């Protein structure tokens, strides 16, 4: 099955390719379409609401199976009104660059004793057709808790600036110094792979039964 991933973030595409390739999914991104992209009004209150809005917009525009993801960042030490939540990059009405994000969140950690305990909560919404859609915001799509600190690691991965500020809670080591762990990738690849495995199975059952009802996975 050829599926459009509703994103222009190359780093996110790479992660999802790793998750879906074993399933025989042919993944393309918005960049591959080389067409004018519609504007998405991401006014949802949760990652799942935003992922649904994006998927519906891209499905309407391009008429092919498409999924979109969204995420929110939440810290144990912050009050509800202080949480980055859906607006990880947007601070004070401004869209931050990778370097600006590192500076901002390092300063935030400094205000709370030099570290924060955070977790990304992720959601996915997948539209196969007008009558078939699947969604999830399962805990398996969330990253493991991690420590966000003030001093960044010298390594950078474009599109994932906060990884350079992230440390493993148990060892206290930067994730980039732990070959087997990465706060934004391997921790959730299995969750996405499981989601798409379930989707493909449910889709095949629908094809066999000739039904078209919406399902949540």
């Amino acid at each position: 099955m050829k599926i459009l991933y509703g994103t222009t973030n190359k780093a996110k595409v790479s992660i999802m390719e790793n998750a879906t390739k074993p399933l025989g999914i042919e993944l393309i991104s918005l960049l591959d379409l080389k067409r004018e992209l519609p504007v998405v009004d991401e006014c949802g209150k949760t990652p799942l609401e935003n992922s649904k809005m994006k998927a519906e917009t891209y499905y309407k525009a391009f008429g092919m199976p498409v999924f979109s993801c969204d995420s929110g960042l939440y810290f144990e030490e912050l009050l509800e009104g202080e949480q980055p939540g859906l607006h990880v990059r947007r601070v004070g009405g401004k869209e931050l660059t990778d370097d600006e994000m590192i500076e901002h969140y390092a300063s935030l950690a400094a205000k709370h004793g030099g570290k924060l305990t955070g977790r990304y909560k992720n959601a996915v919404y997948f539209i196969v057709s007008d009558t078939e859609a699947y969604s999830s915001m399962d805990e398996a799509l969330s990253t493991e808790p991690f420590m966000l600190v003030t001093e960044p690691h010298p390594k950078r991965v474009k599109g994932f600036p906060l990884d350079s500020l992230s440390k493993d809670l148990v060892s206290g080591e930067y994730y980039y110094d732990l070959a087997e762990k990465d706060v934004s990738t391997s921790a959730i690849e299995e969750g996405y792979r499981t989601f798409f495995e379930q989707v493909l199975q449910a889709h095949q059952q629908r094809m066999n039964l000739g039904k078209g009802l919406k399902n949540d996975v």
Side-chain angles (χ1 to χ4, degrees):
M1 178 184 289
K2 178 183 288 188
I3 302 175
L4 173 63
Y5 181 10
T7 185
T8 57
N9 188 312
K10 293 182 179 179
K12 291 182 179 180
V13 172
S14 178
I15 292 170
M16 202 61 70
E17 284 179 337
N18 290 336
T20 59
K21 188 175 181 179
L23 305 178
I25 291 175
E26 181 182 351
L27 201 65
I28 62 173
S29 74
L30 295 174
L31 295 173
D32 296 315
L33 297 179
K34 302 185 185 304
R35 294 170 58 182
E36 183 177 353
L37 303 179
V39 176
V40 182
D41 183 16
E42 298 182 42
C43 58
K45 296 181 180 180
T46 67
L48 186 56
E49 289 181 3
N50 270 356
S51 62
K52 180 180 180 181
M53 290 176 185
K54 289 188 286 186
E56 289 178 337
T57 299
Y58 297 135
Y59 180 75
K60 182 178 179 179
F62 304 119
M64 65 179 297
V66 57
F67 71 92
S68 289
C69 301
D70 206 351
S71 63
L73 177 58
Y74 302 89
F75 293 107
E76 293 181 4
E77 295 84 358
L78 300 185
L79 299 176
E80 183 176 351
E82 300 175 312
Q83 296 289 354
L86 295 171
H87 308 292
V88 180
R89 275 193 180 271
R90 182 168 289 276
V91 178
K94 178 185 178 182
E95 193 80 6
L96 302 184
T97 65
D98 283 5
D99 287 340
E100 288 172 337
M101 284 185 67
I102 291 173
E103 181 180 356
H104 171 75
Y105 284 97
S107 297
L108 186 62
K111 293 178 182 178
H112 291 80
K115 64 180 181 179
L116 291 167
T117 306
R119 191 176 194 183
Y120 291 96
K121 297 182 180 180
N122 301 290
V124 56
Y125 198 91
F126 178 28
I127 301 176
V128 180
S129 68
D130 292 341
T131 58
E132 186 177 1
Y134 304 85
S135 64
S136 178
M137 195 171 165
D138 191 83
E139 283 296 313
L141 300 180
S142 297
T143 66
E144 61 184 46
F146 64 94
M147 186 192 315
L148 190 109
V149 298
T150 59
E151 186 66 29
H153 192 281
K155 180 178 177 179
R156 301 284 191 277
V157 174
K158 187 176 181 180
F160 293 96
L162 297 190
D163 279 7
S164 65
L165 291 173
S166 301
K167 288 186 174 183
D168 177 57
L169 281 178
V170 177
S171 67
E173 297 291 324
Y174 283 99
Y175 275 87
Y176 283 145
D177 292 333
L178 300 174
E180 75 281 6
K181 303 182 78 173
D182 188 306
V183 68
S184 294
T185 57
S186 60
I188 59 174
E189 279 182 14
E190 184 176 348
Y192 281 115
R193 187 177 299 114
T194 298
F195 169 78
F196 281 104
E197 284 177 340
Q198 294 174 342
V199 165
L200 292 177
Q201 291 173 1
H203 175 66
Q204 187 59 51
Q205 290 175 353
R206 282 174 172 273
M207 295 294 289
N208 294 339
L209 296 173
K211 294 182 178 180
L213 300 173
K214 286 193 175 183
N215 289 296
D216 288 333
V217 174

